[in-house]
Amino acid sequence: MLGSTAWLPSRPQSSRGLKNANDFRSEKERGAAPAAPRLFVIGAPFDRLTAPEGTTLAKARVKSGQCAFRIDGELRPFEAMFYRRHLLPVGEALAGPAILLQRESTTVIPPRCSAFNAAAGNLVLKVAGDVR
């Protein structure tokens, strides 16, 4: 949480973690100093993240469907394309409205916006009216 202090136990914990939430409170109540947060990441190292090669928007496309967006204060119907996020080609822009499906999340690209898959696998969105 931005602007807050994380109180972590002053002693290392087993792989099973804390017994209960009271372990956090007891550390704070005893006046233990806030510990530096420890971060554990599971998955591929960042230097191995890459976007797929040899894919096309047509291969990534799943279907099209009706959706609605509020434009200039008015709810309007649109035909949106649905894509598999992991199959988006590198550098090829796709225009909104579009819905990118992913196992962990769903990304909605509204009308007047666009997106492309960067070489490192990041999704770069251009918002309508953004001059950058």
Side-chain angles (χ1 to χ4, degrees):
M1 290 187 286
L2 188 62
S4 65
T5 303
W7 290 89
L8 300 176
S10 58
R11 64 187 185 284
Q13 299 296 311
S14 70
S15 61
R16 292 185 181 181
L18 300 171
K19 293 177 189 151
N20 58 46
N22 290 328
D23 288 343
F24 280 105
R25 275 187 238 115
S26 64
E27 291 285 331
K28 185 175 181 179
E29 289 166 1
R30 286 196 321 251
R38 291 180 287 254
L39 177 65
F40 297 95
V41 178
I42 299 172
F46 286 115
D47 62 345
R48 291 190 193 162
L49 289 176
T50 56
E53 293 182 19
T55 63
T56 64
L57 282 179
K59 288 180 184 177
R61 189 173 300 126
V62 176
K63 67 176 186 172
S64 65
Q66 288 291 316
C67 63
F69 288 90
R70 191 168 302 282
I71 305 291
D72 299 326
E74 183 181 324
L75 199 59
R76 297 182 189 174
F78 285 90
E79 185 77 16
M81 300 305 297
F82 289 71
Y83 296 95
R84 290 182 190 95
R85 166 74 172 87
H86 69 281
L87 293 178
L88 290 177
V90 175
E92 191 172 339
L94 60 102
I99 307 210
L100 307 182
L101 306 171
Q102 201 170 347
R103 187 174 3 158
E104 304 85 13
S105 64
T106 301
T107 304
V108 176
I109 302 167
R112 304 181 189 167
C113 298
S114 63
F116 70 91
N117 206 18
N122 301 321
L123 186 65
V124 179
L125 293 151
K126 181 164 178 147
V127 179
D130 190 1
V131 294
R132 289 181 268 159

